[in-house]
Amino acid sequence: MVGTRLLSEQLVRNRFPHLRYIRIHTPEKHKATIYAWNGDLYLPEKDVQSVQHYASGYLYPYVNFQVKAYNAVQPDKVPQLQELPAAIIQTAMRRNLNQYGILEAINRLFPYGRLTFNRYQAADSIIHFDFHAIRLLHDKEKRAMYDYLQELIPLGSYCEVTFY
């Protein structure tokens, strides 16, 4: 199972419905930070410990989770959320998502080429993809593809795309 950001946030929301603000971000390889606040814009220490315990025990064993108050999003320079196509959201929420589902979603959104899996660099937690285009891609399109891939790959990982 691929532990995407969107699915992970949903799992945390379901387990801790009193937490109103939840954001998960990959700050470095093999790590993810869960930012959370309750309705009072506060994260009590007992919630920090509960969320930490839940993430470590029930989310993804290959990721080292830490929990912080939601107001640390800005100082930690977490990128703002971008609007995502429905197809990316639906794919990211699939519990059975694998590399084939990721490739299928991207290839549907970018029909003027073909994305393929190249290799996974485990030490650096980088997934390498190749995109063989049938026309020149604009920087905006390349950026969108990268942003969408970031939503589809596992937490604690990064990706790189080589365009041909």
Side-chain angles (χ1 to χ4, degrees), residues 24-34 60 62-66 124-125 154-158:
I24 302 179
H25 176 66
T26 296
E28 56 186 285
K29 64 183 178 181
H30 306 294
K31 294 187 178 183
T33 303
I34 301 172
Y60 314 106
Y62 53 82
V63 177
N64 180 5
F65 288 94
Q66 68 176 14
D124 294 321
S125 195
L155 287 173
S157 298
Y158 296 99

Side-chain angles (χ1 to χ4, degrees), residues 9-145:
E9 287 176 357
Q10 184 64 47
L11 292 171
V12 172
R13 266 189 204 92
N14 290 346
R15 178 69 178 85
F16 302 96
H18 67 284
L19 294 178
R20 294 207 34 216
Y21 302 93
I22 296 172
R23 175 76 193 279
I24 302 179
H25 176 66
T26 296
E28 56 186 285
K29 64 183 178 181
H30 306 294
K31 294 187 178 183
T33 303
I34 301 172
Y35 299 91
W37 262 350
N38 62 21
D40 296 327
L41 307 182
Y42 180 68
L43 185 64
E45 184 58 34
K46 69 178 175 64
D47 283 336
V48 171
Q49 292 173 2
S50 296
V51 172
Q52 178 73 51
H53 178 72
Y54 173 75
S56 298
Y58 298 99
L59 288 182
Y60 314 106
Y62 53 82
V63 177
N64 180 5
F65 288 94
Q66 68 176 14
V67 180
K68 292 184 174 184
Y70 198 90
N71 62 334
V73 164
Q74 270 193 311
D76 287 357
K77 294 181 173 51
V78 174
Q80 287 193 324
L81 292 175
Q82 303 298 316
E83 185 110 7
L84 296 170
I88 295 297
I89 294 169
Q90 290 166 354
T91 301
M93 295 298 285
R94 287 181 19 204
R95 290 179 183 263
N96 64 344
L97 181 61
N98 59 24
Q99 74 181 30
Y100 305 108
I102 293 169
L103 297 175
E104 180 185 320
I106 295 297
N107 286 328
R108 249 186 287 124
L109 286 171
F110 297 89
Y112 31 83
R114 194 110 198 109
L115 185 74
T116 57
F117 173 78
N118 181 317
R119 71 187 187 285
Y120 175 62
Q121 217 174 322
D124 294 321
S125 195
I126 299 174
I127 303 167
H128 294 269
F129 296 97
D130 294 333
F131 188 78
H132 297 271
I134 57 175
R135 70 158 173 82
L136 188 63
L137 266 71
H138 302 286
D139 287 344
K140 186 176 179 181
E141 292 170 311
K142 291 178 181 179
R143 183 78 216 159
M145 183 185 296

